Amino acid sequence: MTQLEAAKRGEITEEMKSVAEREGISPEKLRRSVARGHTVIFRNVRHDWVKPVAVGNVVRVKVNANIGTSRDIVDVKAEIEKAKVAVKYGADTIMDLSTGGDLDEIRKTIMHAVDVPIGTVPIYQAAEEMLAKGKAIIEMSEEDMWKAVEKHFRDGVDYTTIHVGVTREVVEKIRRAKRAVGMVSRGGTFLAAWILHWGEENPFYKNYDYLLELAREYDVVLSLGDGLRPGGLSDAGDELQMAELYTLGRLVRRAREAGVQTMVEGPGHVPIDQIAAQVKLAKVATDNAPFYVLGPIVTDIFPGYDHISAAIGGAIAALNGADFLCYVTPTEHLGLPDVEHVRQGIIAAKIAAHAVNLTRFEAEFRKDYLMSLARGKLNWAEQFELSQDKERFIEIRKERPTKTEACSMCGDLCAIKLINDMLAGEKG
């Protein structure tokens, strides 16, 4: 029985109790949201050593970190270090997007290296196995695709991106669409190319009921992928993106009827003034399914700083109802990130998520209140303890020392010190 099925029956599972305790909400409130499909709980029945994590409208905004090898760089140790660093700095989940090396071994190693839920994109493995055989990606058979999905589910991944909305109908629209960037989703493009080559329907859409059967067996959350997300600001909100979104909305409802947990993935590159409208539209179209966004990235001309662009978009998206932020690293659009890029990406995304969470949860706001009190007293030890990135805190304090109790920005001209001294003198 899935978390959704249990919730519909009025049952509170151990996973619900665990999540509710950590979120600071009642188990019954969580159960009701899960029953409606507005919140999902990540925990494959075969991934029994992982802490369950919830994403949805009654819990904190969560952050995911993408890691994984490429065909150019296969360094499994580096990817494990990235996963651990991502979790250290606040990643709630990890997605293994590996496309090079022994994908089965890499996936299993990552799953045992961290204690957070793991997501994957099975079509990547199906494509890689074709290339490893010296064949073209479009030579994948439907059986190849299904084998990859079943393998990932069986290995215990907690959620998987399936680009089920890339249908034959919407792919035909690509022929006449005038996009600046075209398609930027790897998995979505693999399927679109396959559909164009063979003239057949997307196997995951055509046999959606079978996908639901598999997901239900393992209680895998289906992350309905945005294969047609905009890869440039000028493409945001176009016919292709909207056509896929409405298809995903219908598929969410079918999944709920089958007892399968689902969430929906969103854009992409979106002008800042469109983010609120796009998130709200997605929520309406999918009956408030948890919404998982990449960024959104709010400008295209700052490569090397896309983690900042994405944090700006992510904060606005979360404020307007997005539930799950996929981090973006500084190397997005430029190359495979290293460990430091992962750290910077996570910190930026966590700032965006926390900025919204503190407006919803008293416990989150209290963290900032305590930091304010510590700053007001120039209590550096307390500020250190409350800091989310303690290493960076110490690094800057050592690089920029001061002879006063204030910091080196103002020294003995520190406004806080001056007013505190004045008030203390008046009391004396």
Side-chain angles (χ1 to χ4, degrees), residues 123 140-142 145-146 149 161-172 183 187-209 211 224-228 244 247-248 251 254:
I123 195 71
M140 289 185 294
S141 66
E142 294 188 23
M145 299 183 206
W146 286 112
V149 171
T161 294
I162 308 289
H163 299 91
V164 70
V166 180
T167 64
R168 184 177 177 183
E169 179 181 3
V170 77
V171 167
E172 285 299 318
M183 290 184 71
T189 300
F190 295 164
L191 284 165
W194 188 90
I195 291 167
L196 287 170
H197 178 76
W198 296 105
E200 299 287 339
E201 183 56 273
N202 179 340
F204 300 128
Y205 179 77
K206 180 175 65 176
N207 298 299
Y208 188 57
D209 288 337
L211 178 62
L224 304 184
D226 53 341
L228 292 157
E244 181 181 38
T247 297
L248 297 183
L251 297 175
R254 285 176 58 185

Side-chain angles (χ1 to χ4, degrees), residues 332-382:
E332 185 81 7
H333 304 111
L334 297 175
L336 191 71
D338 62 20
V339 172
E340 175 58 19
H341 297 142
V342 167
R343 187 185 73 86
Q344 291 179 31
I346 280 294
I347 291 294
K350 288 295 288 188
I351 291 171
H354 179 68
V356 176
N357 287 334
L358 69 83
T359 69
R360 300 177 183 174
F361 292 87
E362 184 178 350
E364 294 298 305
F365 180 81
R366 182 164 177 76
K367 295 176 184 177
D368 288 71
Y369 175 65
L370 292 174
M371 179 64 91
S372 296
L373 291 179
R375 283 178 177 156
K377 297 175 183 177
L378 293 177
N379 186 333
W380 295 103
E382 185 67 17

Side-chain angles (χ1 to χ4, degrees), residues 217-377:
E217 180 180 354
Y218 297 95
D219 200 5
V220 172
V221 174
L222 292 181
S223 186
L224 304 184
D226 53 341
L228 292 157
R229 66 177 179 268
L233 297 185
S234 61
D235 297 331
D238 70 357
E239 176 188 12
L240 298 178
Q241 181 190 348
M242 293 299 109
E244 181 181 38
L245 175 62
Y246 293 130
T247 297
L248 297 183
R250 295 193 299 271
L251 297 175
V252 163
R253 293 173 179 86
R254 285 176 58 185
R256 289 174 181 171
E257 291 171 1
V260 174
Q261 300 188 92
T262 54
M263 64 183 180
V264 172
E265 297 182 11
H269 294 237
V270 181
I272 199 168
D273 61 339
Q274 293 184 27
I275 293 174
Q278 286 222 16
V279 172
K280 291 174 182 178
L281 177 60
K283 282 290 188 173
V284 171
T286 64
D287 188 22
N288 285 308
F291 197 39
Y292 176 28
V293 294
L294 178 65
I297 291 176
V298 297
T299 174
D300 292 335
I301 64 170
F302 283 88
Y305 299 91
D306 282 319
H307 60 311
I308 299 173
S309 176
I312 294 169
I316 296 171
L319 186 63
N320 286 279
D323 307 284
F324 196 22
L325 306 182
C326 186
Y327 88 155
V328 174
T329 73
T331 63
E332 185 81 7
H333 304 111
L334 297 175
L336 191 71
D338 62 20
V339 172
E340 175 58 19
H341 297 142
V342 167
R343 187 185 73 86
Q344 291 179 31
I346 280 294
I347 291 294
K350 288 295 288 188
I351 291 171
H354 179 68
V356 176
N357 287 334
L358 69 83
T359 69
R360 300 177 183 174
F361 292 87
E362 184 178 350
E364 294 298 305
F365 180 81
R366 182 164 177 76
K367 295 176 184 177
D368 288 71
Y369 175 65
L370 292 174
M371 179 64 91
S372 296
L373 291 179
R375 283 178 177 156
K377 297 175 183 177

